[in-house]
Amino acid sequence: MKTALKFIVLILALALIWLGLSKFNWVELFRIEKNSRELEESLAKVYLDFFINAEGEIKDEDVCQPVLKLTYEICLANSIDTAGLKIHVLGGQEVNAFALPDRNLVILKGLLKDCKSQEELAGVIAHELAHIEHDHIMKKLIREVGLGTLSTMIGGGGGEVARETAGTLTSSAFDRKMEEEADLAGAEYLLNANIDPSGLADFLYRMDKMAEMPEFFYWVSTHPNSAERAQKILDRVRNEEIGSKKILSESEWNKLKLKAAAR
Amino acid sequence: MIRKFGNPPGEDECERASYSYLMSLVAVIMGLPLPIVNLIATLIFWANNRRATYFVRWHCTQALLSQLLTFFLNSAAFWWTISILTSRETVSNSYFAYLILVIGVNLVEFVATLHAAIQTRKGIHVDWFIIGEITDLFVQPDENRA
């Protein structure tokens, strides 16, 4: 009995010490937020340099403006901070879009060329915004590349490591839970922006059918089980009031498609 | 706490009792990222010595019980860290406070284990706070065993 009492006192003492220690602001003391922000900024620079060198950045207003307009409209409707958001349209022919650290969103020309409607493009953008908002990118990088390798990248020789690890960001999947989270959050963003979320589902269904074709490989490989996920999105929005707002005018969309199709 | 323990243990008993503590120290180095390695090492050593003399059995059990306590603390820290790396969980003041507490407990346990290893090697019985008392509940002197 005496021993049991002593044991309970010991556990209580440990709990009290924990409670007491929790009162200190360790996060600020260890400069966690500042250090992780600096790490993200440095990594984003290394990866962006790598992708821009490899694919080339598109600066054409007719291409960039509609993409920005779609993105900001979704952000505004969902109170997503646009101040730190950076959108890059690159010249790659793969049907792909991906998020990089430090709130960078990369969209490849191949995706713009392939999207059949602005709702599909908005759906992919909303999905990638959800990855950014849910902080999936850094978690994925730390888990798959490791903190040690990431530190090496920002400490010098970044280009080489970026080349080796770029696939982690573009062609290996987020885990199933993160993908589902991004799908459902993306569908929610679209609903709030009065954009029809079935565009994202349509895109996923199409990707599932086209998985064998090399130009479709990238987005499909980063986003597996596309058909199943498309169904989940449709189930999620089934009883919602679905908007049909067109963010881009017909001429803006047509110009975008024309420029994206050009070699 | 140091107390007398019946007849002075023989050289072989001192060595085996001391090894039971050293086992967990060596395993600490191997198993730093995985909290279960230390526990498995002391568990194997305890299983091998459960029919040994009272002095050896007692110290093997104390070493095992001390590892059990830190195992639960370390496991919680390990899985909390994994959840921060893989889910939406983020680092917080509570997380750091817990890590500091766990590191503190492990340091105390490390020093106490080292001290116990040295003392038992000299044939001196070392009885830890609470864990020694719990060990007494599990390990009976040879004359009390059925």
Side-chain angles (χ1 to χ4, degrees), chain A residues 6 18 26-27 134 139 181, chain B residues 84 87 89 93-94 133:
Chain A
K6 275 189 188 173
W18 179 23
W26 301 105
V27 173
H134 288 77
K139 285 187 189 300
E181 199 170 40
Chain B
I84 285 171
S87 71
E89 178 92 30
N93 291 328
S94 298
E133 289 177 37

Side-chain angles (χ1 to χ4, degrees), chain B residues 64-144:
Chain B
L64 177 66
L65 290 175
S66 72
Q67 286 300 315
L68 207 60
L69 178 73
T70 47
F71 167 74
F72 287 117
L73 288 170
N74 293 351
S75 293
F78 177 78
W79 290 111
W80 196 343
T81 307
I82 293 291
S83 75
I84 285 171
L85 293 176
T86 58
S87 71
R88 291 190 71 183
E89 178 92 30
T90 53
V91 287
S92 60
N93 291 328
S94 298
Y95 170 72
F96 283 115
Y98 188 75
L99 275 194
I100 291 163
L101 175 75
V102 168
I103 290 168
V105 170
N106 275 275
L107 275 178
V108 169
E109 203 252 347
F110 188 87
V111 173
T113 304
L114 197 63
H115 175 253
I118 294 166
Q119 294 301 315
T120 47
R121 188 67 188 84
K122 291 176 189 166
I124 302 167
H125 177 73
V126 182
D127 189 341
W128 287 347
F129 174 69
I130 297 182
I131 296 177
E133 289 177 37
I134 300 172
T135 307
D136 277 335
L137 298 173
F138 286 105
V139 187
Q140 301 299 315
D142 291 332
E143 58 266 27
N144 295 348

Side-chain angles (χ1 to χ4, degrees), chain A residues 81-112:
Chain A
D81 183 20
T82 53
L85 194 66
K86 291 150 290 244
I87 298 137
H88 310 270
V89 182
L90 303 188
Q93 290 302 316
E94 299 88 25
V95 181
N96 201 5
F98 50 90
L100 290 178
D102 194 32
R103 300 175 68 77
N104 281 285
L105 173 59
V106 175
I107 291 163
L108 298 188
K109 193 176 161 184
L111 174 77
L112 301 176

Side-chain angles (χ1 to χ4, degrees), chain B residues 10-74:
Chain B
E11 181 65 20
D12 178 55
E13 287 177 77
C14 294
E15 205 169 60
R16 284 163 77 183
S18 178
Y19 282 164
S20 69
Y21 295 105
L22 285 178
M23 191 60 70
S24 61
L25 291 184
V26 173
V28 160
I29 298 157
M30 279 173 58
L32 266 180
L34 291 169
I36 198 151
V37 178
N38 315 343
L39 184 69
I40 291 172
T42 43
L43 186 68
I44 291 169
F45 202 79
W46 171 83
N48 283 336
N49 288 285
R50 67 186 192 281
R51 294 190 193 287
T53 61
Y54 179 43
F55 185 79
V56 176
R57 272 188 290 121
W58 198 96
H59 285 284
C60 286
T61 309
Q62 177 164 263
L64 177 66
L65 290 175
S66 72
Q67 286 300 315
L68 207 60
L69 178 73
T70 47
F71 167 74
F72 287 117
L73 288 170
N74 293 351

